[in-house]
Amino acid sequence: MRISDQSLTIPLKELLNLMLIVREGDLREGNLMRQGKGWIHIPGMGHESLIAITHHLHREDYLFTYYRDRALMLGKGFTAQQLAWDYFACAKSSTGGRGMPVHCSAKHLNIFPPATPTASQCLPAVGAAWGIKHSEKTDVVICTIGDASVRQGEFYEAVCMAVQERLPVIFVVEDNAYGISTSTKHQLPFRLGIFNEEIFVRVDGRHPAEIFNHSGQAITKARQGNGPTILWVELDRLVSHTNSDDHRIYRPKEEIDAMLQRDPLSVLARHLINAGELTATEWQALQFKTAMTIDEIYQQAERENSPNPDQILVHLYGSKVDHQCVPFQPVERTTTMVAAINQTLREALQLYPQMIMFGQDIEDPKGGVFGFTKGLSSQFSQRVTNSPLAEATIVGVAAGLAATGYKPVFELQFIDFITPAFNQLVQQIATLRWRSQGDWSCPMVLYAPYGAYLPGGSTWHSQSNEGWWTHIPAEVLNVRN
Ligand SMILES: Cc1ncc(C[n+]2csc(CCOP(=O)(O)OP(=O)(O)O)c2C)c(N)n1
């Protein structure tokens, strides 16, 4: 028995096998926690069917995920062994022990390492998708998010940007009905009617064939340049949120029992047995064999070295410095600061085809509220564009663009209004290189006018808040008079 769309067919048995590998690793981690081994267990049980999405992906496609996505990691090419190293936070784990389990980093597979603040992956995902569009490639970005997390503002900003620019991104909302102990039933924007039904597709995530078909359509649509889709995938979190939670406290017993009856693994196995494609004995043997293999993998991982504390500061900053600098033409000493910056930006745009500028009101004829970008959008119309009035979008998109090879030089209109971007700056950008051991980085230039300039500007338009930024490791602050 197979599932197929026009171009692709996968045997369900193969899918069952992969889902089983994911499940057995998960079960093993739960057992190890109970034995006092490991640090934290973040289960993905009930979310395994999502692996069907990865059958539509190429190596170049990106995954921007969250912590529940061990199935997607495995489907994209991460191994069960690497998941085990991440579980034990070994020195050789993908983050060198700096990330929680399932916060995997794999640049060679285009797996962007999740940051734990919920929804913080969305704007960088959209930035990566924007880069794909700029380069006129047909790659796509898969951005996953939990159902409770879609109430974060950054999710809405990301969806707006993706729709506005028709970006090749698929948001996969993993709706397991809970955010830790809080039911999301009455909080979900899809149920509240916030989203137009044209943009989201409801998917029964307990059946891999459903996921395979809907994700295939969304991915094809994105590859063809027809923009984003939100897949609202209903599934179950079969166990507690993490090992430090007990869902029996807040979920009725009947609900838990009913959920276990529709465990996607058992459902798929039963389906294949009923269809005569698998015998009960074969299924048992497969479970046993997989459990043994996974057990061996985790036993080996347990013996791996822990990170060396002496290495704690390694990868906080990059070592490579691009010594080319602009402007090449010395600027007249009598010129204004604005004119000098404008000339520098123009020469940089000429020098670096990968440089992109984005900011509020930076396009001509205004050319920025201070005129830094005057004339630039007329000369480089594709690479100098107005942003929405949304600082988190500006900075979060820069992270995704920079991480995928572009050189964002983005304007923040006033330093006073940088605060909506704080999450991206501090949690995502400042930690990316360090938490991925230099696997990923997102070098960018953000510039903003600062200090008093407007006598009546009061509290906002006169801030000199550089003190905030000097407290954040990994960011370089440059204040010029
Ligand atoms: C910004 C932020 N606030 C709070 C938390 C703590 N937290 C971690 S997971 C979680 C619930 C997320 O639920 P959901 O998005 O539905 O995903 P699920 O865990 O159900 O897969 C919370 C509140 C966090 N990680 N980030």
Side-chain angles (χ1 to χ4, degrees):
M1 191 175 293
R2 293 155 182 276
I3 47 179
S4 62
D5 65 10
Q6 285 159 354
S7 56
L8 187 64
T9 302
I10 43 170
L12 278 175
K13 238 168 146 174
E14 182 187 316
L15 212 56
L16 180 68
N17 198 9
L18 287 170
M19 288 166 66
L20 184 59
I21 293 170
V22 179
R23 173 66 60 88
E24 287 298 337
D26 217 338
L27 288 168
R28 174 62 44 199
E29 290 181 19
N31 288 341
L32 285 163
M33 274 315 295
R34 285 187 286 279
Q35 293 166 16
K37 297 172 178 175
W39 310 101
I40 181 169
H41 174 216
I42 308 177
M45 286 179 242
H47 290 230
E48 293 92 346
S49 312
L50 292 167
I51 204 166
I53 297 174
T54 60
H55 283 79
H56 297 287
L57 299 181
H58 311 146
R59 197 211 65 80
E60 293 75 17
D61 296 325
Y62 288 91
L63 280 188
F64 283 72
T65 61
Y66 79 115
Y67 49 79
R68 200 75 73 201
D69 286 320
R70 58 178 71 224
L72 288 174
M73 298 294 173
L74 207 91
K76 189 79 170 57
F78 214 72
T79 64
Q81 188 179 46
Q82 286 172 307
L83 282 169
W85 292 339
D86 280 10
Y87 171 73
F88 284 111
C90 308
K92 71 197 302 190
S93 77
S94 70
T95 64
R98 294 167 177 195
M100 291 169 102
V102 209
H103 285 55
C104 320
S105 173
K107 181 94 193 247
H108 66 291
L109 299 170
N110 279 346
I111 297 177
F112 187 86
T116 312
T118 59
S120 62
Q121 68 279 20
C122 300
L123 287 166
V126 160
W130 204 26
I132 292 170
K133 190 175 172 193
H134 269 291
S135 57
E136 297 179 4
K137 291 184 181 159
T138 55
D139 306 330
V140 297
V141 175
I142 303 292
C143 174
T144 66
I145 182 166
D147 50 319
S149 305
V150 296
R151 288 295 297 267
Q152 294 279 8
E154 287 192 11
F155 173 70
Y156 296 89
E157 288 195 29
V159 172
C160 285
M161 180 71 186
V163 171
Q164 178 193 307
E165 298 295 326
R166 281 173 86 81
L167 297 180
V169 56
I170 294 93
F171 297 97
V172 180
V173 177
E174 300 181 27
D175 178 10
N176 57 27
Y178 283 89
I180 307 186
S181 68
T182 305
S183 165
T184 58
K185 212 178 245 172
H186 304 294
Q187 299 181 347
L188 260 194
F190 312 102
R191 292 212 172 87
L192 293 172
I194 303 297
F195 284 109
N196 181 332
E197 296 217 3
E198 276 170 26
I199 191 176
F200 72 83
V201 178
R202 198 168 173 169
V203 184
D204 182 351
R206 293 158 192 116
H207 299 283
E210 278 264 307
I211 293 185
F212 178 81
N213 291 332
H214 287 295
S215 62
Q217 284 161 17
I219 289 168
T220 303
K221 174 182 156 192
R223 287 200 203 288
Q224 290 173 345
N226 294 321
T229 305
I230 301 174
L231 297 178
W232 169 21
V233 184
E234 289 178 297
L235 33 69
D236 294 298
R237 191 191 76 198
L238 294 177
V239 291
S240 302
H241 173 70
T242 63
N243 59 292
S244 51
D245 173 47
D246 182 352
H247 68 167
R248 290 170 302 182
I249 295 170
Y250 52 83
R251 298 187 82 163
K253 183 175 180 312
E254 311 77 63
E255 184 182 300
I256 294 177
D257 290 346
M259 172 176 77
L260 293 176
Q261 291 305 311
R262 47 177 196 254
D263 174 350
L265 239 92
S266 319
V267 169
L268 182 54
R270 267 202 308 271
H271 182 64
L272 288 168
I273 291 168
N274 291 341
E277 297 217 357
L278 184 74
T279 66
T281 318
E282 281 169 345
W283 174 225
Q284 267 182 353
L286 184 63
Q287 286 174 288
F288 181 75
K289 187 173 148 235
T290 310
M292 289 297 105
T293 309
I294 293 290
D295 187 26
E296 178 59 30
I297 285 173
Y298 277 79
Q299 281 191 37
Q300 277 177 16
E302 202 181 334
R303 293 193 288 271
E304 294 293 343
N305 291 333
S306 294
N308 180 349
D310 294 345
Q311 303 292 306
I312 188 77
L313 295 179
V314 175
H315 296 300
L316 198 53
Y317 295 94
S319 52
K320 282 189 219 139
V321 176
D322 186 347
H323 287 289
Q324 258 179 328
C325 60
V326 286
F328 297 119
Q329 305 298 326
V331 178
E332 287 293 325
R333 293 199 70 82
T334 51
T335 196
T336 62
M337 179 66 106
V338 169
I341 290 174
N342 181 266
Q343 182 181 332
T344 305
L345 293 172
R346 186 184 307 278
E347 291 191 20
L349 280 160
Q350 273 156 353
L351 183 65
Y352 299 114
Q354 300 299 88
M355 175 172 157
I356 295 192
M357 297 197 68
F358 194 49
Q360 291 153 18
D361 305 295
I362 68 167
E363 279 181 31
D364 291 335
K366 191 159 179 71
V369 294
F370 291 94
F372 292 125
T373 52
K374 202 128 199 118
L376 301 184
S377 69
S378 302
Q379 195 175 345
F380 307 95
S381 60
Q382 300 301 310
R383 292 193 285 138
V384 181
T385 53
N386 279 344
S387 72
L389 206 176
E391 284 76 7
T393 295
I394 296 172
V395 175
V397 161
L401 272 173
T404 55
Y406 283 86
K407 289 183 185 296
V409 179
F410 284 11
E411 176 169 319
L412 293 156
Q413 201 165 71
F414 297 91
I415 197 70
D416 314 57
F417 307 123
I418 197 171
T419 40
F422 210 84
N423 190 41
Q424 285 299 320
L425 276 162
V426 177
Q427 307 277 38
Q428 189 66 268
I429 291 169
T431 62
L432 182 63
R433 183 195 298 273
W434 184 84
R435 71 176 194 266
S436 68
Q437 294 195 97
D439 193 22
W440 289 87
S441 63
C442 53
M444 67 182 70
V445 175
L446 299 171
Y447 67 93
Y450 110 127
Y453 95 101
L454 187 67
S458 78
T459 313
W460 294 280
H461 298 96
S462 312
Q463 290 183 12
S464 302
N465 55 25
E466 71 275 18
W468 296 347
W469 311 106
T470 56
H471 290 273
I472 302 164
E475 274 171 10
V476 177
L477 181 72
N478 197 333
V479 180
R480 296 278 161 193
N481 256 323

